[in-house]
Coordinates of all heavy atoms in Angstrom, one line a residue:
A1 N 0.8 -1.2 0.0 CA 0.0 0.0 0.0 C 0.9 1.2 0.0 O 1.9 1.3 0.7 CB -0.9 0.0 1.2
A2 N 0.5 2.2 -0.8 CA 1.3 3.5 -0.9 C 1.3 4.2 0.5 O 2.3 4.7 0.9 CB 0.7 4.4 -1.9
V3 N 0.2 4.1 1.2 CA 0.1 4.8 2.5 C -0.5 3.8 3.5 O -1.6 3.2 3.2 CB -0.8 6.1 2.4 CG1 -0.9 6.7 3.8 CG2 -0.1 7.1 1.5
L4 N 0.0 3.7 4.7 CA -0.5 3.1 5.8 C -1.1 4.2 6.7 O -0.4 5.1 7.1 CB 0.5 2.3 6.6 CG 0.1 1.8 8.0 CD1 -1.0 0.8 7.9 CD2 1.3 1.3 8.8
Y5 N -2.5 4.1 7.0 CA -3.2 5.1 7.8 C -3.6 4.5 9.1 O -4.3 3.5 9.2 CB -4.4 5.6 7.0 CG -5.2 6.7 7.7 CD1 -4.6 7.9 8.0 CD2 -6.5 6.5 8.0 CE1 -5.3 8.9 8.6 CE2 -7.2 7.5 8.6 CZ -6.6 8.8 8.9 OH -7.3 9.8 9.5
L6 N -3.1 5.1 10.2 CA -3.4 4.6 11.5 C -4.3 5.5 12.3 O -4.1 6.8 12.3 CB -2.1 4.5 12.3 CG -1.0 3.6 11.7 CD1 0.3 3.6 12.5 CD2 -1.5 2.1 11.6
E7 N -5.3 4.9 13.0 CA -6.3 5.6 13.8 C -5.8 5.6 15.3 O -5.7 4.6 15.9 CB -7.6 4.9 13.6 CG -8.7 5.5 14.5 CD -10.0 4.6 14.3 OE1 -10.3 4.1 13.2 OE2 -10.7 4.5 15.4
G8 N -5.7 6.8 15.9 CA -5.2 6.9 17.2 C -6.1 6.3 18.2 O -5.7 5.8 19.3
Y9 N -7.5 6.3 18.0 CA -8.4 5.7 18.9 C -8.0 4.2 19.2 O -8.3 3.8 20.3 CB -9.8 5.6 18.2 CG -10.6 6.9 18.2 CD1 -11.2 7.4 17.1 CD2 -10.8 7.6 19.4 CE1 -12.0 8.5 17.1 CE2 -11.5 8.8 19.4 CZ -12.1 9.2 18.2 OH -12.9 10.4 18.2
L10 N -7.4 3.5 18.3 CA -7.1 2.1 18.5 C -5.7 1.9 19.2 O -5.3 0.8 19.4 CB -7.1 1.4 17.2 CG -7.4 -0.1 17.2 CD1 -8.7 -0.4 17.9 CD2 -7.4 -0.7 15.7
W11 N -5.1 3.0 19.7 CA -3.8 2.9 20.3 C -4.0 2.4 21.8 O -3.0 1.9 22.4 CB -3.1 4.2 20.3 CG -1.6 4.1 20.5 CD1 -0.9 4.3 21.6 CD2 -0.6 3.7 19.5 NE1 0.4 4.1 21.5 CE2 0.7 3.7 20.1 CE3 -0.7 3.4 18.2 CZ2 1.8 3.4 19.5 CZ3 0.5 3.1 17.5 CH2 1.7 3.1 18.2
D12 N -5.2 2.6 22.3 CA -5.4 2.3 23.7 C -5.1 0.8 24.1 O -4.3 0.5 25.0 CB -6.8 2.6 24.1 CG -6.9 3.9 25.0 OD1 -5.8 4.4 25.3 OD2 -8.0 4.3 25.3
P13 N -5.8 -0.2 23.5 CA -5.6 -1.6 23.9 C -4.3 -2.2 23.4 O -3.8 -1.8 22.3 CB -6.9 -2.2 23.2 CG -7.2 -1.4 22.0 CD -6.8 0.0 22.4
E14 N -3.8 -3.1 24.1 CA -2.5 -3.7 23.9 C -2.4 -4.4 22.5 O -1.5 -4.3 21.8 CB -2.1 -4.6 25.0 CG -0.7 -5.2 24.9 CD -0.4 -6.1 26.1 OE1 -1.1 -6.0 27.1 OE2 0.6 -6.8 26.0
E15 N -3.4 -5.3 22.2 CA -3.4 -6.1 21.0 C -3.3 -5.3 19.8 O -2.4 -5.4 18.9 CB -4.5 -7.1 21.0 CG -4.3 -8.3 21.9 CD -5.4 -9.3 21.7 OE1 -6.5 -9.2 22.3 OE2 -5.2 -10.3 20.9
P16 N -4.3 -4.3 19.6 CA -4.2 -3.5 18.3 C -3.0 -2.6 18.3 O -2.5 -2.4 17.2 CB -5.5 -2.7 18.4 CG -6.4 -3.4 19.3 CD -5.5 -4.1 20.3
R17 N -2.5 -2.1 19.4 CA -1.3 -1.3 19.4 C -0.1 -2.1 18.9 O 0.7 -1.6 18.1 CB -1.1 -0.8 20.8 CG 0.1 0.2 20.9 CD 0.2 1.0 22.2 NE 0.4 0.1 23.4 CZ -0.5 -0.1 24.3 NH1 -1.7 0.4 24.2 NH2 -0.3 -0.9 25.3
A18 N 0.0 -3.4 19.3 CA 1.0 -4.2 18.8 C 0.9 -4.5 17.3 O 1.9 -4.5 16.6 CB 1.0 -5.6 19.6
A19 N -0.4 -4.6 16.9 CA -0.6 -4.8 15.4 C -0.2 -3.6 14.6 O 0.4 -3.7 13.6 CB -2.1 -5.1 15.2
M20 N -0.4 -2.4 15.2 CA -0.1 -1.2 14.5 C 1.4 -1.0 14.5 O 2.0 -0.5 13.5 CB -0.8 0.0 15.1 CG -2.3 0.1 14.8 SD -3.0 1.7 15.1 CE -3.4 1.6 16.8
R21 N 2.1 -1.3 15.6 CA 3.6 -1.2 15.6 C 4.2 -2.1 14.6 O 5.1 -1.8 13.9 CB 4.1 -1.5 17.0 CG 3.8 -0.4 18.0 CD 4.6 -0.7 19.3 NE 4.4 0.3 20.3 CZ 4.9 1.5 20.4 NH1 5.6 2.0 19.5 NH2 4.6 2.3 21.5
K22 N 3.6 -3.3 14.5 CA 4.1 -4.3 13.5 C 3.8 -3.8 12.1 O 4.7 -3.9 11.2 CB 3.3 -5.6 13.7 CG 3.8 -6.8 12.8 CD 3.0 -8.0 13.2 CE 3.4 -9.2 12.3 NZ 2.6 -10.4 12.7
A23 N 2.7 -3.1 11.9 CA 2.4 -2.5 10.5 C 3.3 -1.4 10.2 O 3.7 -1.3 9.0 CB 0.9 -2.0 10.5
V24 N 3.7 -0.6 11.2 CA 4.7 0.5 10.9 C 6.0 -0.1 10.4 O 6.6 0.5 9.4 CB 4.9 1.3 12.2 CG1 6.1 2.2 12.1 CG2 3.6 2.1 12.5
E25 N 6.4 -1.1 11.0 CA 7.7 -1.7 10.6 C 7.6 -2.3 9.2 O 8.5 -2.2 8.4 CB 8.1 -2.8 11.6 CG 8.4 -2.3 13.0 CD 9.4 -1.2 13.0 OE1 10.5 -1.3 12.2 OE2 9.2 -0.1 13.6
A26 N 6.4 -2.9 8.9 CA 6.2 -3.5 7.5 C 6.2 -2.4 6.5 O 6.8 -2.5 5.4 CB 4.9 -4.3 7.5

């Protein structure tokens, strides 16, 4: 994907936050 777009609302819980950090690295 040309752009990965992350929603701050989902940063609260541990599981989605880990998924987003993993996505940032990818």
Side-chain angles (χ1 to χ4, degrees):
V3 175
L4 167 66
Y5 183 61
L6 301 176
E7 175 187 324
Y9 281 132
L10 204 55
W11 200 262
D12 255 354
E14 184 177 344
E15 285 188 273
R17 185 167 63 248
M20 287 196 279
R21 288 192 184 280
K22 186 177 177 182
V24 166
E25 295 308 313

